[in-house]
Amino acid sequence: MTSSGRLPDAPVRVSSVQRFSLHDGPGIRTTVFLQGCPLRCPWCANPETQDCRGGKEMHVAEIMATVLRDADYYRNSGGGVTFSGGEPLLQPRALTALLRECKAAGLHAAVETCGEVPKEDLLAAEPYTDLFLFDIKHCVPAELRNVCKGNLEGILENLRALSASGKVIARIPCIPGFNLDEQTMKGIFDLAVSMGVKEAHLLPYHTYARDKYTQLGRNYDWPGESVRKDALEPFAAMGREAGLTVRIGG
Ligand code: SF4
């Protein structure tokens, strides 16, 4: 039984629903990957989610029925539900409906966002969200634009507006050849602190998604090998020095 009585009729475009996930927020979680992303990071681990026309159609009630199957696991582990993608806020009405349902069911709800979304959609989702995992990929606008097709100024405006809620953890993908150097990482940490962020997670670059690109008939052209977690320790220390609580891994 859902809470709100009236759920949106329009289907949600979903890439996949992953149960027993351990990397998208605290505890045991179900991660719902929504379809569509405004960015094009060349190392994207979920390239199948980028196209907003892809995925399958599911209704809010159907997604909630799947999510609620593991409610006991969430409660026992301090977990919950994470909405990811792609960019879940590209389907703002559906996302907010899902978040409301989670709240009504007493489930912890997290949203992973690249931040490149209309501010009003982000703020409309905020009251129903317990945690935002907010990407900060770079500190130089031209780099983010050239490599990921992102607009850093707009993203930071959203981050500033959201961080006052105290619900934001910054996620920094650590990508050799893009941001994994002292100057850039220091710039990212300083930026996060100046935006009111208190905690950051460093995500080591990996190449596990290579096969997905082949299946999609695309080339995976980002050079370099996966980064080991311990190679990020010096950067974690740098982030702590900047005033952040820092963890390596998601
Ligand atoms: S923001 Fe995330 S989902 Fe979108 S292209 Fe970049 S890595 Fe992929």
Side-chain angles (χ1 to χ4, degrees):
M1 170 80 98
T2 53
S3 68
S4 54
R6 187 137 171 77
L7 294 171
D9 295 329
V12 190
R13 297 209 74 90
V14 176
S15 174
S16 62
V17 179
Q18 190 178 315
R19 297 167 66 198
F20 302 107
S21 162
L22 294 170
H23 300 291
D24 300 308
I28 295 172
R29 311 187 73 79
T30 293
T31 304
V32 182
F33 293 89
L34 300 190
Q35 199 69 27
C37 187
L39 267 50
R40 288 295 178 268
C41 310
W43 53 81
C44 179
N46 299 316
E48 73 283 8
T49 67
Q50 289 175 353
D51 184 349
C52 59
R53 295 159 304 180
K56 60 189 169 204
E57 294 191 340
M58 291 177 79
H59 286 272
V60 169
E62 194 184 350
I63 297 170
M64 287 311 298
T66 305
V67 157
L68 285 166
R69 283 163 68 183
D70 298 322
D72 288 346
Y73 290 101
Y74 313 147
R75 292 199 180 97
N76 293 334
S77 68
V81 185
T82 299
F83 296 98
S84 182
E87 169 51 63
L89 279 152
L90 281 196
Q91 300 183 68
R93 204 164 156 255
L95 177 66
T96 303
L98 287 160
L99 290 166
R100 289 175 80 123
E101 292 300 316
C102 288
K103 194 162 197 63
L107 304 181
H108 179 276
V111 172
E112 274 190 317
T113 180
C114 68
E116 179 127 345
V117 294
K119 194 198 289 177
E120 57 273 22
D121 293 337
L122 197 59
L123 295 180
E126 186 275 321
Y128 311 104
T129 306
D130 297 294
L131 175 64
F132 286 94
L133 299 165
F134 197 115
D135 290 358
I136 308 181
K137 299 178 198 289
H138 214 287
C139 55
V140 178
E143 290 294 322
L144 190 73
R145 187 169 52 250
N146 293 341
V147 177
C148 301
K149 317 293 177 227
N151 166 19
L152 186 60
E153 287 95 341
I155 290 170
L156 293 180
E157 205 182 309
N158 283 342
L159 178 57
R160 191 180 287 113
L162 199 60
S163 65
S165 69
K167 298 176 179 176
V168 176
I169 292 178
R171 295 194 121 191
I172 305 168
C174 297
I175 316 289
F178 176 61
N179 63 7
L180 198 54
D181 60 81
E182 271 187 36
Q183 195 183 346
T184 308
M185 291 302 278
K186 171 98 173 63
I188 291 174
F189 292 135
D190 289 346
L191 200 56
V193 170
S194 75
M195 295 284 136
V197 173
K198 306 272 189 274
E199 184 171 347
H201 294 173
L202 306 186
L203 308 182
Y205 169 70
H206 62 76
T207 57
Y208 308 151
R210 225 170 230 163
D211 287 349
K212 292 189 186 176
Y213 284 76
T214 310
Q215 282 160 20
L216 291 167
R218 288 169 54 180
N219 289 330
Y220 183 88
D221 351 312
W222 195 256
E225 296 304 313
S226 297
V227 173
R228 286 168 38 157
K229 275 187 167 188
D230 57 6
L232 296 182
E233 286 296 351
F235 296 102
M238 190 188 282
R240 289 178 193 120
E241 211 164 289
L244 294 161
T245 298
V246 180
R247 195 168 92 190
I248 299 174

